Amino acid sequence: MFNQIRFQKIRHAGHLGVALALILGASMLVTGCSGSGDSSGTTSAGSNLLALNLPDSLTGGTAAGGAVINSPRSFVPRAMSVAKSSNGTGEPCFFSGVEDDDVFRNGYRMSKFMISAIATWTCLADTIIDLSDVVVHDGTIQESDNDTTAANYKADEPTHYSVTEDSATQTTVRLYYGYDRVTPPTSGDSPDFFLSWDEAANGDITGRMVVNAGMIDPANRDPEDPTSMRIDFNYTDSAKLADMFLRFDSGNPWADGLRIEVTKDLTVSPLGQVYTARGLMEMKAQFAPVAGISELPQLRMYTVADRLGEGAAVAEFVDVSLPLEIDAVSGDHLGNYLFDKTDIYFFDADQNSATPWDWIDKTVTDSQYRGGRNLVTMSTTDIIAFLGLSPSYFSGTECANVGDDCTAMLNAVFADGFAGQEQNQGSDPMDWRSTAITSPDYLLSVYPNGADWVGAFDMSFNP
């Protein structure tokens, strides 16, 4: 019986893993082009105008080769690619992030996966900025060599593009998809990819990238994929900030939006809090809907790192439902729970070491029993003995009635590496990282205006 409990604990943790589809469904917007970079995550190609030079511990490092789906190369007109290739510099914009599907194993892996998206797209933006130098800047909409009537036509590559000098300091690149050569896009048509940047006289750089993913190869889109993406850039002599907004398709049953913000502080010691990353996912439903739970979950992330890549990540799962079925055949069920969980992970710059972490601490901070408990072949005494709970745990005011606090039990469930997560280990090193994550400043909204998606993905930018 005890082995059954252990097995089902792991199996039903998969309800949390359903969230993986929300982020992996965004793969078309977070994977990059193959190439290589140095150990700090910098790249050798492109203008490096928007590069954040993120350390490998935050991005997973650059990776060569491998198949990528709808890679950013697809967004670059072939005419530009040919010019780029002739320079022999390549497109080093593929960052490993997390190289398997287990993104939610800990808060650090969640952070690394999302931060790699920022690394990919700032690199891509620099590549496009560099490529734009080799084409005319008069706003003329030009054909790429991706012809809709050709046998080798690719619906996920642009058919037309233009580059415009909006002012002495601002340049805009527009890419168009799916147009034939008989009826090409005109200046009145909205592009599907938009990048505009402004280099002010004082050296400040602002910009915006917008992708209308819903119109790029629509016949092959997954209805759970993101439909739109936007990144705002704001770089000064004291800080660089890249702020990404992803809106999921209405067909996605769980997620509405995802926001990832990365800041690089240029004024602090390189051995202090140089990088700060924040993430927030706006949900439409629970990963595992159960009776008695109407709350919507939230996933939020806060990560800090020094220039070399040593840092800490804290992730919070808030108002998440968890059904604990012991055995579907016998009908044994430990009940449904709503819980909050904090996941702390202190990581080293050297991810190749035998112990790339200093401290791992996963704690359920709040919970409620919401009903559904049904023990048929087992008894509460069995559960109490297996999890090491107090003898009266399932009676009186302890985790017996709907609304009771069951935090002690859930922490016992998570303690031995629930769902393949690492066991808690190590100790707080009590260094700058401990101070930095004491009171995480989480993002409050996934929306650029703080309220909704209205105007969020307009193909325009005014410095």
Side-chain angles (χ1 to χ4, degrees), residues 70-81 91 124 128 131 141-148 152-162 173-181 185 191-194 211 215-217:
N70 294 325
S71 74
R73 183 186 182 99
S74 302
F75 295 118
V76 182
R78 287 174 180 259
M80 291 186 178
S81 297
E91 295 173 83
L124 173 63
I128 291 178
L131 296 175
I141 297 178
Q142 304 184 58
E143 296 175 352
S144 74
D145 66 354
N146 188 33
D147 187 348
T148 58
N152 63 348
Y153 167 67
K154 296 182 178 179
D156 61 352
E157 294 188 3
T159 57
H160 297 78
Y161 64 93
S162 71
V173 174
R174 296 175 176 86
L175 308 183
Y176 303 83
Y177 292 75
Y179 285 89
D180 60 39
R181 298 188 174 186
D192 301 307
F193 184 103
F194 173 94
V211 180
M215 295 303 295
I216 298 173
D217 193 12

Side-chain angles (χ1 to χ4, degrees), residues 33 68 79 89 98-99 106 115 122 163 181 185 219 294-295 298 362 372-373 379 387 390-391 415 422-423 451:
C33 308
V68 289
T89 50
V98 177
E99 295 181 311
N106 56 56
I115 293 170
T122 52
V163 180
R181 298 188 174 186
S294 59
E295 290 87 347
Q298 270 200 349
K362 307 171 190 292
R373 186 175 297 148
S379 69
L387 296 177
S390 67
E422 302 91 343
Q423 294 182 359

Side-chain angles (χ1 to χ4, degrees), residues 165-230:
E165 291 288 349
D166 301 294
S167 70
T169 58
Q170 183 180 1
T171 305
T172 300
V173 174
R174 296 175 176 86
L175 308 183
Y176 303 83
Y177 292 75
Y179 285 89
D180 60 39
R181 298 188 174 186
V182 177
T183 55
T186 68
S187 58
D189 292 312
S190 178
D192 301 307
F193 184 103
F194 173 94
L195 174 62
S196 186
W197 67 97
D198 180 83
E199 298 179 68
N202 65 356
D204 291 353
I205 301 169
T206 55
R208 179 169 299 164
M209 178 187 290
V210 182
V211 180
N212 182 5
M215 295 303 295
I216 298 173
D217 193 12
N220 293 309
R221 288 195 71 253
D222 188 317
E224 295 189 10
D225 281 347
T227 184
S228 303
M229 183 196 77
R230 162 178 159 179

Side-chain angles (χ1 to χ4, degrees), residues 248-304:
F248 287 91
D249 193 283
S250 58
N252 192 301
W254 300 286
D256 180 41
L258 172 66
R259 181 179 176 186
I260 310 162
E261 177 199 86
V262 177
T263 303
K264 181 179 182 180
D265 191 333
L266 304 178
T267 66
V268 299
S269 163
L271 299 180
Q273 187 176 341
V274 175
Y275 297 99
T276 302
R278 305 191 293 169
L280 178 67
M281 184 175 284
E282 185 76 14
M283 305 299 296
K284 295 188 291 189
Q286 288 284 354
F287 307 128
V290 294
I293 294 180
S294 59
E295 290 87 347
L296 294 180
Q298 270 200 349
L299 274 67
R300 48 201 189 199
M301 174 270 291
Y302 187 84
T303 301
V304 297

Side-chain angles (χ1 to χ4, degrees), residues 32 51 214 233 243 343 378 409-410:
F233 304 100
D243 202 357
D343 186 322
M378 303 190 68
M409 185 193 73
L410 293 186

Side-chain angles (χ1 to χ4, degrees), residues 18 32 49 151 262 277 342 402 416 434 449 460:
V18 172
L49 192 69
V262 177
T342 299
V402 172
D416 64 351
S434 305
N449 66 9
S460 63

Side-chain angles (χ1 to χ4, degrees), residues 90-112:
E91 295 173 83
C93 292
F94 181 71
F95 293 86
S96 298
V98 177
E99 295 181 311
D100 56 46
D101 290 348
D102 199 2
V103 173
F104 284 85
R105 194 171 74 201
N106 56 56
Y108 170 53
R109 289 172 68 88
M110 289 172 58
S111 300
K112 187 163 59 173

